[in-house]
Structures are given as structure tokens and as C-alpha cells.
Amino acid sequence: AKEMKKQIRDGEGGSVSEWISVKERLPQATGKYLCAVKDKRGNLWTIASDWSLEMKSWFGDYGEIKNKVTHWMPLPDPPKEG
């Protein structure tokens, strides 16, 4: 059971990123990231979104994200086949 918890925590041997507050820093490269977003009602949810370094803004499937992005992290590596 202890090994299973470690695999879940570590992504089966890979490292798992921690959430980074947008108050602490923003991504240094344009790309896709996992974001925590707070809507107008105060609900917190996660989405995969694109960060534009040039525009310093987050974008989702329907354009610029208008809700407040509070935290972000790099997307995990895809699963390894085998």
C-alpha cells in the first residue's frame, strides 16, 4: 500500500508538479498548462489552458479566459507505453 501511494504521488516514477500561485510567478514560456480558475461565484475548478507569454494572458477553447486564474502547473508527461 505504501508503494502504491508513492506511485500515485510520484506519477509512477515521474515527478508530480506542485501548484504555482500566479502571485508568485507566471510561466516563462508560451504553452499549455493546467490551471486552477476561480469563477465569479467563488467556485474553483481546473482546466488545461494555453499561456501566451507575448500577451501575458490565459486562453481556453473559447478564447481568453475571463475568470481569475489563481494557480498553474506544467502538464504531466503522457503515459509511457509498455
Side-chain angles (χ1 to χ4, degrees), residues 21-67:
S21 170
V22 296
K23 292 178 181 177
E24 183 182 321
R25 66 184 162 97
L26 292 168
Q28 298 299 305
T30 294
K32 193 168 271 303
Y33 296 88
L34 187 61
C35 295
V37 179
K38 187 178 280 190
D39 65 21
K40 294 175 185 174
R41 293 188 174 129
N43 299 314
L44 194 62
W45 38 280
T46 58
I47 61 168
S49 65
D50 294 296
W51 167 252
S52 170
L53 186 60
E54 181 181 336
M55 296 181 70
K56 299 225 182 290
S57 191
W58 297 99
F59 292 87
D61 291 339
Y62 302 104
E64 188 173 6
I65 296 174
K66 300 296 183 188
N67 292 307

Side-chain angles (χ1 to χ4, degrees), residues 4-24:
M4 181 185 250
K5 287 180 184 176
K6 182 184 181 316
Q7 288 177 341
I8 291 169
R9 185 184 71 241
D10 294 344
E12 296 184 4
S15 63
V16 174
S17 296
E18 296 292 324
W19 287 106
I20 301 164
S21 170
V22 296
K23 292 178 181 177
E24 183 182 321

